[in-house]
Amino acid sequence: MSSSPRLGLSYLSPQQAQKHVTVNESLRRIDALAQLAVKSRSLGAQPPAPVEGEAYILPAAPGGAQWSAMAQHDLAVFQDGAWARIVPKTGWRAFIEDEARLVVRSAAGPWSEIGGGESAAKFGVNATADTTTRFQAKAEASLFSHDDVTPGSGDHRLKVNKSAAARTASLVFQDAFSGRAEFGLTGDDDFHVKVSADGSIWKEAIVVNRATGAVSLPFTLQSAGSAPNLLVNGDFQINQRGFGGGALSAGAYGFDRWKAASGGANATLSSYTLNLASGEIEQVVEPGLFGLASFASLAVTVSVEAPGADLTVTFGSQSGTISSGAGRRSATLTLGAGDAGNLPFKIRKASGSGVAFGRVKLEIGAAATAWAARFSAEEVRLCKRYYYRLGAQAHFVLALGFAFNSTTVEARVEHPVEMRANPAMTVSNVGNIQAGTAGYSQALSALVLHGGVTHSAKSAYLLATLASAVATTGAGNRLQSDSTNSGLVEFGAEL
């Protein structure tokens, strides 16, 4: 062996002449490699006026008369007016002056940082960091404290940043390295708290809307008042019109508050499942009914029960897709700045015709909460704000009044709830409605709203014309349906 295995220092041979040459060469090599420091590892061409002893780690494809003959990761050391090439071995360390970093030569070739500067590519405390988890610490406690040395302001903030709204910035809590809880900005800019029983299936426990501060509890059963459904009769159980299912022309109402959209619809109800055979159904929603000035720029979430196919839902100017599947499925829409006033809500199959789903809910916020029906009496009251009917059953008393003359009876109807607006009145089968007292019962020939008085959302005045002149002027009268169940009076203030 003519040289040492680690530093490549030349050995002296027996009877070697000019031994000082070999010794001096080894001393120069020791001077270059002991306490090794290089000017840079990024300079691409040899400098024009190097200083004696300068050293560099060469980058890829180095340039220059002498550097071009050397390779990436080599050491180039300027000694005795020329550049000397030194091929580094695994484990050699060097300090890079222009980066203030300590690096080590790896077996694979590159020089890798080992710490000692102001930053490090990886750092492990009692653990081995990797390229994904670049900082790791194994300890029973960790402390991040305010700066009382500089001193600082006395505050301390832990910041977790992400590149875009659709990315995630969060803290995850694990059991045996399997996730059990997570909080942060997960997939959007709302604040989420999630939990998991197995580390793979996660459930949203809390969602805080970034714009409104509204808190949603998606898997916590709440009273209807705490997370209101903006839709009235979302489960289609109120059916004052007696709709038996089937085709609806555009604008025609079936179940209370639900009408066919512009293309018509065909719908039937089986228990709590609506079968929408074709078309689209619609409900116009009032922000004021729920204490809101407007829906503009709000995030709203639509959820349904077990849709059999993908659904397209539209609210105002925004549309989204609810994917088919078991359980409650949802889609969140962020309304535009122009989505003010009363807004139409529509739902249909995303493509083709024929889909089944149940219990439709529209709510403020970016997360769906559990279905919670209103009390039945409250749901009926909300429905009657827009529509109700009198009659359609034998001897049903519609109103009480008095005979204005022998052929005319005036009567007042108190609406069961204050309606949305002064309602329109529709009369069906007027001949099956009677005016009468204990002494007579006479069919009507006409029943209209009284033109000489002011009506309101709370009450209406009716003017009934008898088919025969049998009434006693000034006598009390009642208006009622006959025994055929067909006489009907409807009041409507739909949107």
Short mmCIF file of all heavy atoms in Angstrom, two decimals, residues 135 141-147 155-158:
data_model
loop_
_atom_site.label_atom_id
_atom_site.label_comp_id
_atom_site.label_asym_id
_atom_site.label_seq_id
_atom_site.Cartn_x
_atom_site.Cartn_y
_atom_site.Cartn_z
N PHE A 135 -39.18 17.11 11.32
CA PHE A 135 -38.85 17.35 12.72
C PHE A 135 -39.56 16.30 13.56
O PHE A 135 -40.78 16.15 13.48
CB PHE A 135 -39.28 18.76 13.15
CG PHE A 135 -39.09 18.98 14.63
CD1 PHE A 135 -37.84 19.24 15.14
CD2 PHE A 135 -40.17 18.92 15.51
CE1 PHE A 135 -37.66 19.44 16.51
CE2 PHE A 135 -40.00 19.12 16.87
CZ PHE A 135 -38.74 19.38 17.37
N ALA A 141 -42.56 15.35 27.42
CA ALA A 141 -43.17 16.68 27.43
C ALA A 141 -42.41 17.57 26.46
O ALA A 141 -41.23 17.35 26.18
CB ALA A 141 -43.17 17.29 28.83
N SER A 142 -43.10 18.56 25.93
CA SER A 142 -42.50 19.57 25.07
C SER A 142 -42.98 20.92 25.55
O SER A 142 -44.14 21.07 25.96
CB SER A 142 -42.90 19.37 23.60
OG SER A 142 -42.49 18.11 23.14
N LEU A 143 -42.12 21.92 25.49
CA LEU A 143 -42.49 23.26 25.96
C LEU A 143 -42.11 24.29 24.90
O LEU A 143 -40.98 24.32 24.42
CB LEU A 143 -41.77 23.59 27.27
CG LEU A 143 -41.93 25.03 27.78
CD1 LEU A 143 -43.39 25.30 28.13
CD2 LEU A 143 -41.02 25.29 28.97
N PHE A 144 -43.07 25.10 24.52
CA PHE A 144 -42.84 26.27 23.68
C PHE A 144 -43.24 27.47 24.53
O PHE A 144 -44.42 27.63 24.85
CB PHE A 144 -43.66 26.20 22.40
CG PHE A 144 -43.29 25.07 21.49
CD1 PHE A 144 -43.82 23.81 21.66
CD2 PHE A 144 -42.37 25.27 20.47
CE1 PHE A 144 -43.48 22.75 20.84
CE2 PHE A 144 -42.01 24.23 19.62
CZ PHE A 144 -42.57 22.96 19.80
N SER A 145 -42.28 28.28 24.90
CA SER A 145 -42.55 29.38 25.84
C SER A 145 -42.34 30.74 25.18
O SER A 145 -41.70 30.84 24.12
CB SER A 145 -41.64 29.26 27.07
OG SER A 145 -41.84 30.33 27.96
N HIS A 146 -42.84 31.76 25.82
CA HIS A 146 -42.60 33.12 25.36
C HIS A 146 -41.10 33.43 25.51
O HIS A 146 -40.37 32.78 26.26
CB HIS A 146 -43.43 34.11 26.17
CG HIS A 146 -42.97 34.27 27.59
ND1 HIS A 146 -43.28 33.35 28.57
CD2 HIS A 146 -42.20 35.22 28.18
CE1 HIS A 146 -42.74 33.74 29.72
NE2 HIS A 146 -42.07 34.85 29.51
N ASP A 147 -40.65 34.46 24.79
CA ASP A 147 -39.25 34.85 24.80
C ASP A 147 -39.01 35.79 25.99
O ASP A 147 -39.44 36.94 25.98
CB ASP A 147 -38.92 35.55 23.48
CG ASP A 147 -37.47 36.01 23.40
OD1 ASP A 147 -36.70 35.72 24.34
OD2 ASP A 147 -37.12 36.66 22.41
N ASP A 155 -45.75 37.27 24.44
CA ASP A 155 -46.72 36.40 23.75
C ASP A 155 -46.00 35.18 23.18
O ASP A 155 -44.77 35.15 23.04
CB ASP A 155 -47.39 37.15 22.60
CG ASP A 155 -48.18 38.36 23.07
OD1 ASP A 155 -48.67 38.32 24.22
OD2 ASP A 155 -48.29 39.32 22.30
N HIS A 156 -46.81 34.19 22.83
CA HIS A 156 -46.29 33.04 22.08
C HIS A 156 -47.41 32.47 21.22
O HIS A 156 -48.48 32.16 21.74
CB HIS A 156 -45.76 31.95 23.00
CG HIS A 156 -45.14 30.80 22.25
ND1 HIS A 156 -43.83 30.80 21.84
CD2 HIS A 156 -45.68 29.65 21.79
CE1 HIS A 156 -43.58 29.69 21.19
NE2 HIS A 156 -44.69 28.96 21.14
N ARG A 157 -47.19 32.35 19.94
CA ARG A 157 -48.18 31.79 19.02
C ARG A 157 -47.56 30.64 18.25
O ARG A 157 -46.46 30.78 17.70
CB ARG A 157 -48.69 32.85 18.04
CG ARG A 157 -49.57 33.91 18.67
CD ARG A 157 -50.09 34.88 17.60
NE ARG A 157 -51.03 35.84 18.15
CZ ARG A 157 -50.67 37.00 18.70
NH1 ARG A 157 -49.38 37.33 18.77
NH2 ARG A 157 -51.58 37.81 19.18
N LEU A 158 -48.28 29.54 18.19
CA LEU A 158 -47.87 28.40 17.37
C LEU A 158 -48.61 28.50 16.05
O LEU A 158 -49.84 28.50 16.02
CB LEU A 158 -48.21 27.09 18.07
CG LEU A 158 -47.77 25.80 17.37
CD1 LEU A 158 -46.25 25.74 17.29
CD2 LEU A 158 -48.32 24.58 18.10
#
